Amino acid sequence: MAKINKPKAAPHIDMTPMVDLGFLLVTFFMLSAKFRTDEVVVIDQPASISQEIMPTSKYMQITVNKWGKVFMSFDCQEETKKAILAELTQKAGIQLSNEAAKTFLSSTEFGAPFSALPKYLTLSADQRKAIADEETPNAIPVDSTHNELKTWVKVVYQQLNEEGKAQFEKMIKDNPNMADADRKKNAQDLKPKVIIKADRNAPYHFVRNVVNTFKDLDMDTKFSFITTIMADPRTNK
Amino acid sequence: MMDSGGDGKGKKRAKKGMPAIDMTPMVDLAFLLLTFFVMTTTFSESKVMKVVYPAKPKDNKKIDQSQLINNAITFLLTKGKIYYYDGQFYKPGNSEGHAPTTLTETDIAGVRKLLAERNKFVIDKKKIYADQLYKKEIADTTYVNKMTEAQKNPKALKVLVKTDDKALTKGFIDIMDECMIADIGTYTEVDMTPEELQLLQTTANK
């Protein structure tokens, strides 16, 4: 008798281990993910052998893009940011609408002359990105004749410093028996750090203008340049 | 009579196993999320390089150059090109009767070789101290102190970097990096003098 070939169903594969692994990886990546904040200014970083890790808190970052345009960003608490906004508008003599003030508090990077700041704050992130990429000089002016970065640096540094001081004093109050070494370390950690993020193709004299601004203000001239890591030729001998 | 066996009313039901749930959408979603997180995660933290600039001289007081220039090398940077000269700068027809300074062109590989040669004093010391450290003859802090001492020795090389308006940040960072690689103790960026700029321009346009 002729055999009847029953049409076979697709072989059943047990997917459980795969799904397990899938979820394991999802969990891992979800927990370890640290989102890159949407950067307004795109920077192609230079490379160096330095292993030092970038400070992630209490810093003031000055970005110089490939056209030499200067942008300012900083990390601080909400209250400090409000204080910065108040002092900045007063020193620059500008008025910000409530809307613009709100945008200021939620923005991370600023790149406009004070006169154009109210309008700059109404722009969307994409529009700011587009403006940053233009060659026109419409970021923070740093010329020797017209230097607005000076005001930015003065205000931001002072506020960050005050915030750090307050935190340090609180720390000492909470823990009066702190060892001298810890005290020193904490004081160092709470000091504002100045980071320069310069594009590798930015003409260097724009960076020098930024440095000279600090010199003019009689401030510390120790900077951290953001770099990508490169193999150290000393170690692979 | 109702039995738990399920054969009530004489009807025989097939024994059911676990109810089969179609897991496909769930798995799809899981992998979608996985792909998303894999793509967006950044693992590498940015690194920073410390650069210390000289403070502005007070009251227009001139920095004592002779102290600075002692066993120093000066790099002049312009776009994509590196020039250097040794020691002090002498302009043509100087009163001291020195031959005028000329610039030598080099590239980044040349800089590494040059600095390794000139800073031999510190590098040799470092080898000795690193060896002692490895054999645990000296402590970590002693090693750091001894290295600082060696780098401050008058025999140790000092590097000055000067840039013109065409120089790019990359060139500057590269030179600073080479100084770090060669364990130079003192290296910094200073302003270019008009004489140096003129010499750089004539040399570069040759």
Side-chain angles (χ1 to χ4, degrees):
Chain A
M1 223 210 247
K3 269 184 191 164
I4 299 165
N5 276 338
K6 266 192 196 163
K8 271 184 193 157
H12 187 80
I13 303 170
D14 185 11
M15 289 204 291
T16 325
M18 185 182 77
V19 176
D20 283 355
L21 191 72
F23 274 101
L24 188 78
L25 286 173
V26 169
T27 321
F28 170 70
F29 279 104
M30 264 170 92
L31 292 179
S32 65
K34 210 170 100 190
F35 289 102
R36 210 182 314 181
T37 42
D38 192 26
E39 284 157 334
V40 176
V41 194
V42 185
I43 294 293
D44 186 5
Q45 298 166 356
S48 93
I49 58 155
S50 183
Q51 304 265 7
E52 224 168 301
I53 293 167
M54 182 186 147
T56 47
S57 70
K58 220 157 280 344
Y59 64 80
M60 169 161 79
Q61 179 183 300
I62 293 158
T63 309
V64 182
N65 80 353
K66 64 175 179 225
W67 304 117
K69 289 163 71 173
V70 174
F71 302 81
M72 171 68 126
S73 53
F74 45 88
D75 170 82
C76 63
Q77 289 166 353
E78 193 70 30
E79 286 305 309
T80 314
K81 205 164 185 184
K82 277 182 190 157
I84 289 174
L85 173 63
E87 208 181 329
L88 209 57
T89 46
Q90 188 228 326
K91 280 230 166 95
I94 49 168
Q95 283 286 323
L96 288 186
S97 63
N98 284 344
E99 198 91 338
K102 221 178 255 171
T103 329
F104 184 95
L105 295 175
S106 63
S107 306
T108 51
E109 205 148 27
F110 307 95
F114 287 132
S115 56
L117 197 59
K119 191 174 167 266
Y120 182 79
L121 288 171
T122 60
L123 301 177
S124 71
D126 281 344
Q127 282 170 314
R128 287 189 206 174
K129 214 171 190 164
I131 288 185
D133 215 27
E134 284 168 15
E135 203 184 340
T136 48
N138 47 14
I140 300 174
V142 237
D143 298 326
S144 46
T145 47
H146 182 58
N147 192 335
E148 287 184 2
L149 184 69
K150 227 177 200 171
T151 316
W152 277 97
V153 167
K154 219 155 80 188
V155 171
V156 173
Y157 192 91
Q158 194 201 338
Q159 292 293 343
L160 285 184
N161 205 14
E162 266 168 35
E163 182 191 298
K165 254 187 209 159
Q167 282 176 352
F168 184 67
E169 268 156 29
K170 192 176 170 290
M171 209 183 261
I172 295 288
K173 217 172 143 192
D174 291 347
N175 186 4
N177 303 323
M178 200 187 287
D180 258 7
D182 287 344
R183 209 175 270 240
K184 227 179 214 169
K185 196 187 162 287
N186 284 327
Q188 198 59 41
D189 284 351
L190 290 170
K191 241 181 106 181
K193 288 137 207 113
V194 183
I195 303 174
I196 294 184
K197 187 178 185 182
D199 195 284
R200 53 194 294 150
N201 291 319
Y204 179 74
H205 67 274
F206 290 112
V207 178
R208 192 164 49 210
N209 285 347
V210 171
V211 172
N212 284 342
T213 306
F214 282 82
K215 283 189 193 172
D216 286 347
L217 286 167
D218 275 330
M219 286 170 69
D220 206 2
T221 45
K222 194 175 179 189
F223 300 94
S224 297
F225 278 80
I226 296 195
T227 52
T228 53
I229 196 147
M230 190 174 82
D232 189 340
R234 287 176 298 181
T235 51
N236 26 320
K237 259 175 205 164
Chain B
M1 189 174 155
M2 295 291 279
D3 236 336
S4 56
D7 50 353
K9 288 187 181 164
K11 229 181 201 175
K12 202 160 191 180
R13 273 192 206 160
K15 261 192 187 168
K16 272 183 192 160
M18 284 279 285
I21 302 170
D22 187 10
M23 286 203 293
T24 328
M26 185 184 73
V27 176
D28 284 354
L29 191 71
F31 277 95
L32 189 78
L33 283 173
L34 181 60
T35 321
F36 172 70
F37 280 105
V38 170
M39 298 279 211
T40 53
T41 311
T42 48
F43 281 105
S44 57
E45 289 157 306
S46 282
K47 299 286 190 289
V48 291
M49 180 174 131
K50 284 263 160 70
V51 177
V52 182
Y53 288 84
K56 198 184 182 186
K58 295 260 178 318
D59 310 325
N60 288 332
K61 220 196 279 170
K62 276 237 164 181
I63 310 169
D64 187 7
Q65 290 271 336
S66 60
Q67 188 85 50
L68 215 64
I69 237 68
N70 181 16
N71 195 16
I73 192 161
T74 306
F75 287 101
L76 301 183
L77 306 182
T78 181
K79 191 174 181 175
K81 279 182 176 166
I82 307 165
Y83 297 92
Y84 70 90
Y85 68 83
D86 279 308
Q88 212 168 332
F89 184 83
Y90 295 107
K91 53 187 174 198
N94 57 78
S95 52
E96 293 97 329
H98 282 285
T101 300
T102 52
L103 300 180
T104 318
E105 192 180 345
T106 183
D107 55 9
I108 207 72
V111 171
R112 183 168 299 178
K113 235 177 105 190
L114 181 79
L115 291 183
E117 244 167 57
R118 299 290 171 85
N119 203 30
K120 207 167 177 308
F121 173 79
V122 176
I123 294 173
D124 284 351
K125 284 262 177 193
K126 191 190 174 180
K127 264 185 206 147
I128 299 167
Y129 298 148
D131 196 42
Q132 283 174 339
L133 182 70
Y134 182 72
K135 287 180 187 155
K136 302 226 163 104
E137 285 168 16
I138 53 171
D140 281 8
T141 44
T142 324
Y143 172 75
V144 175
N145 289 344
K146 282 198 165 188
M147 274 310 287
T148 318
E149 203 179 288
Q151 286 178 338
K152 278 187 181 155
N153 192 296
K155 280 184 196 154
L157 185 70
K158 285 154 197 81
V159 175
L160 295 177
V161 180
K162 304 183 181 188
T163 60
D164 73 351
D165 281 359
K166 281 181 240 150
L168 298 181
T169 305
K170 181 184 180 297
F172 169 74
I173 296 283
D174 280 349
I175 289 280
M176 288 292 166
D177 206 34
E178 289 304 324
C179 291
M180 240 180 342
I181 291 171
D183 291 301
I184 310 277
T186 313
Y187 55 94
T188 191
E189 192 258 1
V190 282
D191 287 343
M192 200 180 275
T193 61
E195 289 92 2
E196 283 170 330
L197 182 61
Q198 206 187 353
L199 179 63
L200 177 65
Q201 276 165 352
T202 47
T203 316
N205 292 335
K206 226 178 253 173

